């Protein structure tokens, strides 16, 4: 190593210039990461079969990183100089993006640490500007690369700097210096070209812009940091209110930031520093209802409590993502010139400000939804500048809207690539997949010794769990087994499939389709524990005392099973109840034989039910557990109403299966936590914050119920008591509110939490994890690997590859948590989308289906919030419209708009007008008309209008049968899908020559004709097996 | 600057070293004729001058003398020009006093003080340029000065700072790394026996990582001792050549 010195001039903390000397060590051997040479030790390498390697210079990396991210561009060598310049110029976020790019094995790019290489390092000379120096560094790195590879490969340095081309292009050192790289080498790569031109337009725009200042400048980072430390500024994440995006936003710490000026260019989700305003300028939050955006809230009223108010002085971290915007329709004549125009596009998300985009395709893109990225937001500009990335399609089309939902939730699900599919085992009629004898030797063979069966919804394709139960030692012991598909056997850690699954983190269920986490050959075939075939499994088996049912011994391990029966819930329940049932597996047997087998199966089911009941009782005794039981059922109720997927009365066998799964999860959690105390992936459900219950307590008090929220047990008991015999909806609404107050359950790594934080509030278990659904959750795959490693450690052998460290695991856990949340939000928005589509085609005035019963559950200044049980819709109902008229109630209860006044009390709202006054109390039933308010740029929304102050006559009948409601809602989705399909078919027939539709179908929907029934059933199963998943789901939906 | 990247994904540190690599160490012994022993040592850009007087009679307060061993007196100072911004006070401030105390403790553990009862050994160390790891550079320089003075010691005392970043121990921290929010640990070791003369850590560190960090510190100290040994041998050669003439 050679030591040199580098002199830097930095600014000291007091703002003075300081000369800093830093050491700089150079070495001769720096890995080049090329497959051509063997000097690479580890990590990913550039393939040797490319025509050339590309070395982008600093300017290209800083400005056009997005273009370089295009996967088709291969053999990119990033230099250290460029990386550091990127970090310096664009900040940590962009830099991390580059780092992820470098780590991602799907991209062919490497980092060359040119500044630590003896021959490629060039010290900065006196009088040389930074840009010149950087270009020289990159050039000499490129030259080194060329010489290092001994001329075996051409090296191309790309730059946007004409001077650099002139200066270095003529030097004859084997390296080509060019500027129009894309044009010359990739003329056919359309997407990259479009991205390139949109980025460069945005850049030009930025340069040409000079105007007055619209916002205050942000303070420099050092000042902010010092201010935050001294307490002068408050740091927090800016959270813009969905309903009043133009005026209100608050920080995670309860500080209000009001108005765009005070918000000072911060965008929803940014981490900002806020300075508090003087107390005299503090304001309160509006409690009046407003319709979407752009509307002034009702006049100032004294009832608002002022809260700390501040203004943003600086942004610590931008959290910009890809946004979907809609191009506005053209107004006025088209411009003569073909030059680019600046367009203000409206984001789909209300909370995001309009984005200015310069584009040449403004005409073509009218009314289209487009993915854009924000580039910058100068203090001179009223709106941020951005560039377009990708066109989704015309607004209002089903496919466009679904894609919008995905992108707005940061979900990216490309079809599985060939390379990924190549890793998969083959199972086709010509080459059937068979059990590997080597595996048979390693695994415990349960094929002959155990009666294994699975219970799932009918038509289920991906069976990831199976059960077994038998008696041992002459009946003194019971052996209960839970067998989970051994996905990790097929998905090796670090393989492409694994990476893809990690990126997706979960299977995404939308209202009409599903995006799988694993390729279909695994999820529906080889990993699915189908009946009558040999499958690999990961098993947990308990030996229980037959009398007390206490655990004597637990065995974990890999097994080989053959499921004898693939039952479905109704069938299993029928067998349990002793009703005659047809078991398809036994159809071929003689009657005597069949009777014997049937008795064996029924016996097993009965034992299982007994064990599950006991487990449940044990859990109830073990702590304050009553809550989650009821809670689960309540959530199921809630779930059914929102997506109409779960029946009201779950069969007992549902609970039996769920209980076994919870038990398995719990025991696996114990095992991995004991084996890896600092790096096990568990799942915790923190107790909710008490202040979130205030709405619940207040609302319940309006009906005279007291709710005790101190512990989960107390809460459950008081919810049980809060039962109004006249109106079952009261209890349901209270339960929904309780669910809303719950915090979300999270995955975490045990090294980062104290042990008393592991508690699962919902299930009342001290440790819990997810183990039972590896086919559709990545967390389960991780847990499987941990369990396998734990078993290996027990045996005394090497755990087979290092277990992920605490830090890595926590990072992955955070990623999975984010993705899960995104999946729930996407599911919710897609459901809402379908609700709107359903009502869109109905005429609200004439169609009976648009009139429904609703219950008031919250009172606001100018209206009430209601819940429509029939459709599972929640929304505001206005008592006072924009003209200042109020809803007056006539003699027959019919409502009309008249001028009058609204008065709000804590538990009721009164409207007074010419024809008397009307009062709306909490839990009153009213009748509303549902219509759709179409907006051009945003998602459509449902509007509820007051029709009658009183229960809807249909709902007044006592027998509002739940099945009908369920049927109605699922029928809702089905009908919309059918309509959309018809529409697309018509479009196809009309434009038979246009191949786009089928192409899009290939690209976006992985299952071409979604079998809706099986999809819904799967979601239902998901909800059943994972009670706390439902609680999260409800927490987010509610 | 919210957090420099101290260890890149490729495993390089800010100055191009790998995690376990030390800075370049250069040293010379016997730089002053007046003193009994002296040495100059550079470790990267940290430069220190150590001077040893003694053993001699206890000066000043007689009461400080010990009847069974020698007393060690240390003074640490930093040149006013040693840091990027000029220092006001070369010695006597809190930090210097603490450092002096640490040096004293270190050498009390290493010098065979029982050979010189009722006497005193003075060690003066001055940092000429500071670039991280001041304590360890002082210890290393003082060791050489001690050897130059011919004072018997149990072994070389070698010191090194190590830090912990991204689950990896970094050896021999430079100034930028010390300031970058690393939990660092300073270790003075008698390498042959593996005895610890002084161990100092002010930052928080998870207990599980301490062992790995100690391990790295010991390895680093042993590396330093090799270099010091070479310096001493070279010096001896020169001296013997001179005296032979």
């Amino acid at each position: 190593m050679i030591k040199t010195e580098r002199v830097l001039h930095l600014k000291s903390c007091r703002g003075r210039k300081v000369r800093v000397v830093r050491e700089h060590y150079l070495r001769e051997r720096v890995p080049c990461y090329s497959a051509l040479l063997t000097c690479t030790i580890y990590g990913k390498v550039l393939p040797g079969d490319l025509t050339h390697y590309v070395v982008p210079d600093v300017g290209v990396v800083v400005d056009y990183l997005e273009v370089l991210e295009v996967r088709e561009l291969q053999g990119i060598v990033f230099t250290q100089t460029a990386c550091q310049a990127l970090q310096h110029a664009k900040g940590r976020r962009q830099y991390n993006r580059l780092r992820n790019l470098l780590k991602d094995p799907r991209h062919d790019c490497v980092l060359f640490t040119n500044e630590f290489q003896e021959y490629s390092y060039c010290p900065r000379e006196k009088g040389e500007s930074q840009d010149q120096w950087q270009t020289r560094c990159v050039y000499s790195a490129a030259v080194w690369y060329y010489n290092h590879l001994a001329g075996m490969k051409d090296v191309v340095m790309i730059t946007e700097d004409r001077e650099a081309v002139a200066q270095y292009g003529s030097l004859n050192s084997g390296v080509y210096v060019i500027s129009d790289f894309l044009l010359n080498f990739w003329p056919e790569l359309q997407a990259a070209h479009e991205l390139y031109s949109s980025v460069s337009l945005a850049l030009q725009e930025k340069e040409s812009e000079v105007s007055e200042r619209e916002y205050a400048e942000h303070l420099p980072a050092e000042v902010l940091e010092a201010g935050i430390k001294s307490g002068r500024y408050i740091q927090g994440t800016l959270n813009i209110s969905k309903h009043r995006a133009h005026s209100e936003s608050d920080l995670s710490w309860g500080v209000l930031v009001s108005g765009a000026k005070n918000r000072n260019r911060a965008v929803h989700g940014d981490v900002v520093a806020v300075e508090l305003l003087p107390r005299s300028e503090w304001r309160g939050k509006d409690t009046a209802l407003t319709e979407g955006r752009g509307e002034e809230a009702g006049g100032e009223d004294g009832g608002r409590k002022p809260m700390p108010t501040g203004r943003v002085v600086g942004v610590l971290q931008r959290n910009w993502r890809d946004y979907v915007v809609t191009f506005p329709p053209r107004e006025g004549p088209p411009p003569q010139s073909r030059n680019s125009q600046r367009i203000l596009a409206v984001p789909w998300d209300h909370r995001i400000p309009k984005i200015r985009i310069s584009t040449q395709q403004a005409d073509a893109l009218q009314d289209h939804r487009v993915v854009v990225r924000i580039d910058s937001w100068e203090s001179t500009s009223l709106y941020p500048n951005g560039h377009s990335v990708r066109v989704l399609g015309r607004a209002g089309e089903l496919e466009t809207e679904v894609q919008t939902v995905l992108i707005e939730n940061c979900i990216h699900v490309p079809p599985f690539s060939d390379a990924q599919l190549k890793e998969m085992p083959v199972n086709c009629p010509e080459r059937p997949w068979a059990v590997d004898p080597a595996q048979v030797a390693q695994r415990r063979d349960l094929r002959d010794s155990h009666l294994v069966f699975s219970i799932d919804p009918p038509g289920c394709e991906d069976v990831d769990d199976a059960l077994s139960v038998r008696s041992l030692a002459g009946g003194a012991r019971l052996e209960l087994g839970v067998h989970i598909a051994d996905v990790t056997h097929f998905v090796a850690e670090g393989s492409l499939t694994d990476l893809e699954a990690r990126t997706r983190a979960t299977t995404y269920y939308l209202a009409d389709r599903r995006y799988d986490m694993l390729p279909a050959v695994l999820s529906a075939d080889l990993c699915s524990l189908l009946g009558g075939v040999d499958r690999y499994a990961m098993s947990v088996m308990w030996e229980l005392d037959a009398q007390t049912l206490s655990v004597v011994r637990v065995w974990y391990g890999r097994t080989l099973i053959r499921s004898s029966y693939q039952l479905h819930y109704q069938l299993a329940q029928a067998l349990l109840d002793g009703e005659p049932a047809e078991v398809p597996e036994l159809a071929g047997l003689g009657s005597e034989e069949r009777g014997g087998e049937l008795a064996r199966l029924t016996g097993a089911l009965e034992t299982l039910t007994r064990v599950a009941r006991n487990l449940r009782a044990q859990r109830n005794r073990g702590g304050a557990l009553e809550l989650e039981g009821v809670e689960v059922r309540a959530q199921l109720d809630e779930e059914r109403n929102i997506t109409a997927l779960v029946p009201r009365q779950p069969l007992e066998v549902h609970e039996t299966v769920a209980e076994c799964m919870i038990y398995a999860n719990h025991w696996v959690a114990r095992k991995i936590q004991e084996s890896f105390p600092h790096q096990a992936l568990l799942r915790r459900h923190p107790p909710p914050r008490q202040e979130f219950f205030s709405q619940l307590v207040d609302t319940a008090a309006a009906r005279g119920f007291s709710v005790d929220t101190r512990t989960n047990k107390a809460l459950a008991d008081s919810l049980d008591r809060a039962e109004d015999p006249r109106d079952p909806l009261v209890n349901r609404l209270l339960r929904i509110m309780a669910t809303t107050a719950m915090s979300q359950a999270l995955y975490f790594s045990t090294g980062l939490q104290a042990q008393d934080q592991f508690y699962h509030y919902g299930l009342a278990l001290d440790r819990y994890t997810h183990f039972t659904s590896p086919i559709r959750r990545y967390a389960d795959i991780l847990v499987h690997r941990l369990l396998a490693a734990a078993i290996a450690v027990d045996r005394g052998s090497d755990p087979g590859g290092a277990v992920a460290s605490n830090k890595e695991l926590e990072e992955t856990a955070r990623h999975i948590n984010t993705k899960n949340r995104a999946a729930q939000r996407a599911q919710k928005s897609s459901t809402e989308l379908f609700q709107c589509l359903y009502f869109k085609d109905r005429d609200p005035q004439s169609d009976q289906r648009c009139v429904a019963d609703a219950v008031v559950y919250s009172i606001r200044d100018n209206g009430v919030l209601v819940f429509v049980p029939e459709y599972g819709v929640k929304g505001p109902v206005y008592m006072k419209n924009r003209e200042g008229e109020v809803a007056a109630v006539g003699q027959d209860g019919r409502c009309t708009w008249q001028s009058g006044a609204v008065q709000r009390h804590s538990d009721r709202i009164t409207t007074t007008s010419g024809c008397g006054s009307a009062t709306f109390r909490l839990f009153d039933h009213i009748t509303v008309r549902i219509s759709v308010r179409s907006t051009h740029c945003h998602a459509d929304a449902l509007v509820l209008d007051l029709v009658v102050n009183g229960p809807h006559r249909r709902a007044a009948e006592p027998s509002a049968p739940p099945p009908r409601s369920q049927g109605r809602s699922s029928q809702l989705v089905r009908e919309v899908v059918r309509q959309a399909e018809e529409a697309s078919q018509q479009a196809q027939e009309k434009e038979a020559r246009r191949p786009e539709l089928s192409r899009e179908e290939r690209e976006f929907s992985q299952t071409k004709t979604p079998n809706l029934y099986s999809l819904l059933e799967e979601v239902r199963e998901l909800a059943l097996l994972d009670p706390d998943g439902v609680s999260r789901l409800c927490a987010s939906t509610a | 600057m919210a957090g420099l990247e101290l260890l890149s994904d490729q495993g390089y540190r800010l100055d191009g070293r790998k995690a376990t690599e030390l800075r370049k160490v250069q040293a010379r012994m016997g730089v002053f004729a007046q003193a009994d022993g002296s040495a100059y040592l550079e470790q990267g850009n940290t430069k220190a001058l150590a001077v040893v007087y003694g053993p001699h009679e206890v000066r000043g307060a007689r009461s400080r003398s010990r009847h069974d061993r020698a007393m060690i007196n240390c003074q640490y100072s930093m040149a006013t020009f040693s840091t990027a911004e000029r220092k006001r006070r070369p010695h006597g401030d809190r930090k210097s006093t603490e450092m002096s105390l640490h040096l004293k403790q270190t050498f009390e553990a290493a010098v065979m003080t029982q050979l010189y009862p009722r006497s005193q050994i003075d060690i003066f160390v001055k940092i000429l340029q500071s670039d991280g790891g001041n304590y360890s550079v002082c210890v290393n320089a003082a060791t050489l000065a001690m050897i130059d003075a011919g004072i018997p010691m149990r072994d070389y005392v070698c010191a090194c700072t190590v830090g912990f970043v991204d689950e990896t121990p970094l050896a021999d921290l430079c100034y930028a790394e010390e300031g970058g929010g690393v939990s660092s640990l300073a270790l003075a070791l008698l390498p042959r026996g593996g005895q610890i003369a002084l161990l100092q850590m002010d930052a928080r560190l998870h207990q599980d990582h301490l062992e790995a960090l100690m391990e790295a510190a010991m390895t680093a100290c042993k590396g330093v001792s090799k270099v010091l040994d070479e310096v001493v041998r070279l010096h001896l050669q020169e001296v013997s050549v001179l005296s032979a003439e």
Side-chain angles (χ1 to χ4, degrees), chain A residues 149-191:
Chain A
L149 300 177
M152 282 189 282
K153 190 97 0 190
D154 290 329
V155 176
V156 178
M157 169 174 159
I158 50 173
T159 175
E160 286 290 308
D161 188 1
R162 301 279 160 193
E163 279 172 40
V165 179
Q167 189 186 349
Y168 296 109
S170 51
L171 295 181
N172 199 7
S173 56
V175 175
Y176 304 97
V177 182
I178 54 161
S179 56
D180 298 320
F181 172 70
L182 273 183
L183 225 58
N184 292 336
F185 284 81
W186 298 95
E188 74 283 7
L189 208 57
Q190 200 53 40

Side-chain angles (χ1 to χ4, degrees), chain A residues 22 229, chain B residues 1-4 6 14 131-133 173-184:
Chain A
R22 281 207 191 137
K229 271 189 189 142
Chain B
M1 295 282 198
L4 287 165
L6 295 176
L14 289 174
D131 189 30
L173 303 184
C174 71
Y175 182 75
E177 286 168 337
E178 276 186 343
V182 185
S183 35
S184 69

